[in-house]
Amino acid sequence: QVQVVESGGGLVQPGGSLRLSCAASGSVSRLDGMAWHRQAPGKQRELVALITSGGRIIYADSVKGRFTISRDNAKNTIYLEMNSLKPEDTAVYYCNVVIGLSTYWGQGTQVTVSS
């Protein structure tokens, strides 16, 4: 069993910053890709950023230059540093991890950007 737990969401004003964390635990023999997705009300879930085991990083165009994904392999943890937040960044942010052919999702953490 693999558990994936996100933390760090909350309410922030436009232009503010938040840092999300995602930790994988349990039967984690080898982590391949780890990624952040988000889902806003009434919209489909979308990829925000991913980082492979080799360190390759991909960002959605909407967050390039504002969000930074990083990875701590020793802790099986990834982070998402979010700066210059906009109201349209409001969503539930989900973390997923890929181990071999299996994908595991966390429960999500709410991020609300509002004045």
Side-chain angles (χ1 to χ4, degrees):
Q1 283 282 29
V2 175
Q3 294 79 43
V4 178
V5 179
E6 306 99 334
S7 62
L11 173 64
V12 63
Q13 292 187 340
S17 300
L18 279 176
R19 188 192 195 209
L20 306 183
S21 299
C22 168
S25 62
S27 302
V28 181
S29 57
R30 182 194 74 187
L31 283 176
D32 296 311
M34 299 181 75
W36 288 99
H37 293 70
R38 67 185 180 187
Q39 188 166 18
K43 294 188 176 181
Q44 289 188 327
R45 192 173 296 189
E46 62 176 358
L47 175 69
V48 176
L50 72 82
I51 183 167
T52 69
S53 58
R56 182 186 179 198
I57 293 174
I58 295 174
Y59 292 104
D61 288 342
S62 59
V63 306
K64 282 180 181 177
R66 300 188 299 122
F67 290 11
T68 302
I69 189 171
S70 60
R71 178 170 178 158
D72 185 335
N73 290 327
K75 296 181 179 180
N76 294 328
T77 298
I78 60 170
Y79 306 94
L80 187 67
E81 188 75 36
M82 305 185 293
N83 299 312
S84 302
L85 282 161
K86 305 174 182 180
E88 50 264 44
D89 294 317
T90 296
V92 179
Y93 283 70
Y94 296 92
C95 174
N96 82 322
V97 302
V98 177
I99 301 174
L101 298 178
S102 300
T103 300
Y104 303 90
W105 289 86
Q107 294 298 307
T109 185
Q110 176 70 46
V111 171
T112 302
V113 185
S114 175
S115 55

